[in-house]
Amino acid sequence: MRLSQKLSDFDAEMNNSVPYIESTGTAGRLQISGTKVTSLHDKRELWNPLYDSYKDPLTHAESVKDINDLYDKFHAEIEDLKKQLKSNTDIVLTGTDYSKIHIHVDLDHRHHVEKSTIAPANTCTKITHLVNRFFTFNPTSGQEAVKHLPKDVKKIGRKVVYTNHGEPVPARDKFLLIDAIGTSSYDIVHATENAHKKGYLITWYLNNRGEAGPESDPFPFDTV
């Protein structure tokens, strides 16, 4: 069974953005039609159980085509909505809108903010076959349990490395980059050859220009 990091990242970000769009007042303020909200809601209702089936080894094979077909439609619809929101001069998008809906900010129009001075911390909240769920958080006292990204943080940069148990932590230049993510809770999908390994995760905060703050310490985790 081989899972897709692309689908995993979409699952994490979509389950952040669609509930935000559905929240009280957001759709009206952003001039998102009721038809569009219903369409996103209905696709999310289809997605979540189908994605669970896709992750289940017993039903994975029969779910692969369906989840990829739904991804193609759902992802395209969300990306089209983002473009519409950016081009609509009758609305004002807030920083929270950009963050929650994961809207790309064009470089020429970006308001510069300083890169983060905080190195995030990480914990593993769930382990299943070839998938670990992580929570990346602000370790500042009183902020450890906050689920949303810190102010002025756009995404979380990520890189991982795998070793055999008992081997030393690899140097940082041995870590492999994976795509940045716009939510603090997310899954990392491992290749089959990395099952039953010792893994390490390094994360950092990115501002709206993609400038990186300090990196976290390597966080150790086990794969199954």
Side-chain angles (χ1 to χ4, degrees):
M1 184 181 81
R2 190 173 184 86
L3 300 178
S4 164
Q5 188 66 51
K6 174 186 74 174
L7 296 180
S8 176
D9 289 349
F10 176 74
D11 176 75
E13 294 194 350
M14 177 276 299
N15 274 303
N16 188 41
S17 63
V18 173
Y20 177 73
I21 291 168
E22 293 182 309
S23 61
T24 303
T26 300
R29 178 173 57 80
L30 299 181
Q31 298 181 9
I32 303 173
S33 70
T35 301
K36 178 60 65 180
V37 173
T38 299
S39 178
L40 295 174
H41 173 85
D42 290 349
K43 284 186 176 65
R44 180 171 178 256
E45 290 292 296
L46 290 172
W47 175 276
N48 284 333
L50 183 56
Y51 188 68
D52 287 341
S53 296
Y54 168 75
K55 294 190 296 180
D56 188 334
L58 298 178
T59 52
H60 171 78
E62 64 196 57
S63 305
V64 170
K65 183 180 185 305
D66 289 342
I67 195 68
N68 279 286
D69 287 348
L70 181 55
Y71 169 84
D72 290 342
K73 297 175 183 176
F74 201 0
H75 179 261
E77 184 169 2
I78 289 179
E79 290 303 307
D80 285 345
L81 176 61
K82 293 177 186 180
K83 293 175 184 176
Q84 291 170 21
L85 292 174
K86 287 177 66 175
S87 64
N88 187 348
T89 58
D90 292 331
I91 63 174
V92 176
L93 293 168
T94 67
T96 302
D97 295 331
Y98 277 99
S99 176
K100 289 287 190 179
I101 307 176
H102 310 288
I103 300 172
H104 175 72
V105 186
D106 296 329
L107 184 59
D108 290 343
H109 301 141
R110 291 182 180 181
H111 171 67
H112 182 259
V113 297
E114 295 300 322
K115 63 185 180 182
S116 178
T117 60
I118 299 169
N122 304 287
T123 187
C124 182
T125 60
K126 186 178 181 181
I127 303 174
T128 56
H129 181 56
L130 294 178
V131 181
N132 287 57
R133 179 163 297 169
F134 295 95
F135 173 51
T136 297
F137 59 93
N138 179 351
T140 304
S141 179
Q143 299 296 306
E144 299 94 336
V146 174
K147 302 296 184 184
H148 57 76
L149 298 181
K151 185 177 183 295
D152 295 330
V153 170
K154 177 68 175 176
K155 287 198 170 188
I156 296 168
R158 306 176 293 176
K159 56 185 177 182
V160 294
V161 72
Y162 303 91
T163 68
N164 294 318
H165 289 271
E167 293 181 348
V169 182
R172 288 180 182 250
D173 62 3
K174 301 299 183 184
F175 282 66
L176 298 177
L177 280 170
I178 58 177
D179 287 342
I181 188 77
T183 63
S184 62
S185 182
Y186 52 86
D187 291 338
I188 292 180
V189 176
H190 317 297
T192 304
E193 60 267 25
N194 290 323
H196 308 292
K197 295 275 191 174
K198 171 66 72 173
Y200 296 89
L201 168 68
I202 291 176
T203 58
W204 57 95
Y205 289 136
L206 295 165
N207 67 5
N208 60 356
R209 286 181 175 266
E211 296 170 330
E215 294 183 349
S216 70
D217 292 331
F219 176 77
F221 62 92
D222 295 324
T223 66
V224 297

